[in-house]
Amino acid sequence: INQDGTVNSQNNPAARGQIISIYATGQGVVPGAPPDGANPTSLVYTPNEPQILIGSCYVEQCPSLPGDQPVGKRVQFSGLSPSYPGLWQINVYVPLVTVPSASGGPVPVDVVYNNVPAWSAAGFSPYKTYFWVK
């Protein structure tokens, strides 16, 4: 989901320097979670911060350009979605160094949590995630 709350697509790409929201499952047990089926009444963070690959680098390791969010502030939230019971929401900054989609198609995005990637170049999963960047 783009920062403005719209669905990311080829015709509606995310801008570099903005925040996207990734929705997933697989975060495991989250301390302080509400009862099953209930939305949290306050922010409930995952015990660990995921590593997020956007394009060719992990966002906290991407080179910084003038105007970028500082390293250490690029994964802005990882926890239970306040809107969807049990769903993992990750709000992440799209670094300015990210190559726009126009010439090369969509940009890969991967979530690594507790050293386990959702997918990897080594082919652990046939399911890969991409999004569009302008």
Side-chain angles (χ1 to χ4, degrees):
I1 300 293
N2 294 333
Q3 183 169 314
D4 64 2
T6 60
V7 175
N8 182 274
S9 69
Q10 185 173 7
N11 295 325
N12 189 32
R16 293 175 292 162
Q18 295 206 335
I19 306 297
I20 60 167
S21 294
I22 301 167
Y23 295 91
T25 60
Q27 74 274 20
V29 175
V30 178
D36 283 350
N39 285 334
T41 56
S42 62
L43 291 180
V44 179
Y45 292 85
T46 56
N48 301 305
E49 185 174 284
Q51 292 178 292
I52 308 297
L53 176 83
I54 291 182
S56 61
C57 59
Y58 289 95
V59 296
E60 296 294 0
Q61 299 168 353
C62 291
S64 292
L65 297 177
D68 259 329
Q69 285 284 338
V71 171
K73 302 285 185 187
R74 294 178 180 176
V75 176
Q76 298 199 341
F77 175 72
S78 173
L80 297 179
S81 169
S83 304
Y84 304 102
L87 196 61
W88 184 12
Q89 180 175 331
I90 304 165
N91 298 339
V92 62
Y93 174 78
V94 180
L96 296 175
V97 72
T98 305
V99 176
S101 300
S103 59
V107 174
V109 60
D110 191 12
V111 175
V112 179
Y113 191 65
N114 292 332
N115 296 317
V116 178
W119 65 271
S120 76
F124 294 128
S125 171
Y127 305 104
K128 295 179 173 38
T129 304
Y130 300 88
F131 76 114
W132 296 90
V133 178
K134 61 179 172 182

